[in-house]
Amino acid sequence: MKRAGARTALAVGLALAIAGCSQKPIAQVRADANAAYFDGAYEAALPLYEEVVNRHPGDAKGHFELGRNLLKLGKASEAREQMILAYNLEPANMEYFDGMADAYVAAGNEDDLFAALDHRVRDRGGVADYMAMGRYAEKLGHADEAQRAYLSAAEIDGGKTRAPQMALANFYKSIGDEANEIKRLRMALWFDQADGEVNTRLRALGQVPGPSFVLTPAGRE
């Protein structure tokens, strides 16, 4: 009986080993999934992404990619769960945070979205965190909150980068505040007087950009 049991155990072990060897390498499965995803074949990509996360449940990227694919399929609640897993595994990854936020929006979980944004702002409070707060507040029609967040991002940035100035210029354009749009475009021009996008927008607003038209970004004085 002992020998029979040993033979059975050996047979099971060999079967499992053979099955394991027959699996595609995980990198190939992911590559196939991404090829299908970027070709717009989301249904074909789904089981491949599911295989990635089933074989490597601690792979944040796998959860993110599965969540991204589920969003394309209109499965917002399932996408949300995958994005939460990705973000919890790598909370410093802003792409995963944005993925989770997008899933919250798609699933109609506005309260959860702003709770996550508030937590990130309190926990980190960097330029990117306030920019994210502004972006999602604006997307959901909360203009006052969006303005406060963008202004906070610009203040923390201290006039060091173009992005907060452009975010404010775009925000003011969206609400029809031309004076403040021009002001922020002039500040954005400080980083590169030859900036084609900024110069084109200023001319469309009836302005004549030039060296004397540049404004030093707030915080650099």
Side-chain angles (χ1 to χ4, degrees), residues 121 124-128 130 149-160 164:
V121 163
R124 299 172 185 274
V127 174
Y130 279 99
Y150 287 138
L151 287 170
S152 293
E155 181 180 358
I156 294 166
D157 182 67
K160 295 182 182 70

Side-chain angles (χ1 to χ4, degrees), residues 19-41:
C21 290
S22 68
Q23 284 186 315
K24 277 188 180 180
I26 196 71
Q28 185 60 57
V29 178
R30 169 172 273 138
D32 291 345
N34 286 334
Y37 175 86
F38 288 110
D39 197 39

Side-chain angles (χ1 to χ4, degrees), residues 33-159:
N34 286 334
Y37 175 86
F38 288 110
D39 197 39
Y42 307 122
E43 289 287 359
L46 182 59
L48 298 173
Y49 283 131
E50 288 175 335
E51 180 179 346
V52 171
V53 299
N54 287 336
R55 287 171 61 181
H56 290 274
D59 181 357
K61 185 177 180 181
H63 289 292
F64 170 77
E65 290 173 337
L66 174 55
R68 181 180 63 183
N69 193 75
L70 287 164
L71 280 176
K72 291 291 187 181
L73 290 169
K75 299 180 178 182
S77 295
E78 293 175 50
R80 178 192 60 206
E81 300 311 313
Q82 294 300 321
M83 292 301 193
I84 290 171
L85 285 168
Y87 177 65
N88 286 341
L89 285 165
E90 292 187 19
N93 190 316
M94 198 64 193
E95 184 180 21
Y96 297 167
F97 180 85
D98 285 344
M100 182 178 70
D102 288 339
Y104 278 141
V105 171
N109 302 134
E110 189 172 321
D111 289 345
D112 290 335
L113 168 63
F114 282 103
L117 288 163
D118 286 338
H119 181 270
R120 191 171 183 98
V121 163
R122 289 196 307 272
D123 188 47
R124 299 172 185 274
V127 174
D129 306 305
Y130 279 99
M131 290 280 279
M133 174 70 84
R135 187 166 63 253
Y136 286 101
E138 186 177 2
K139 182 181 292 189
L140 292 168
H142 302 298
D144 290 342
E145 291 87 341
Q147 182 179 19
R148 283 196 294 270
Y150 287 138
L151 287 170
S152 293
E155 181 180 358
I156 294 166
D157 182 67

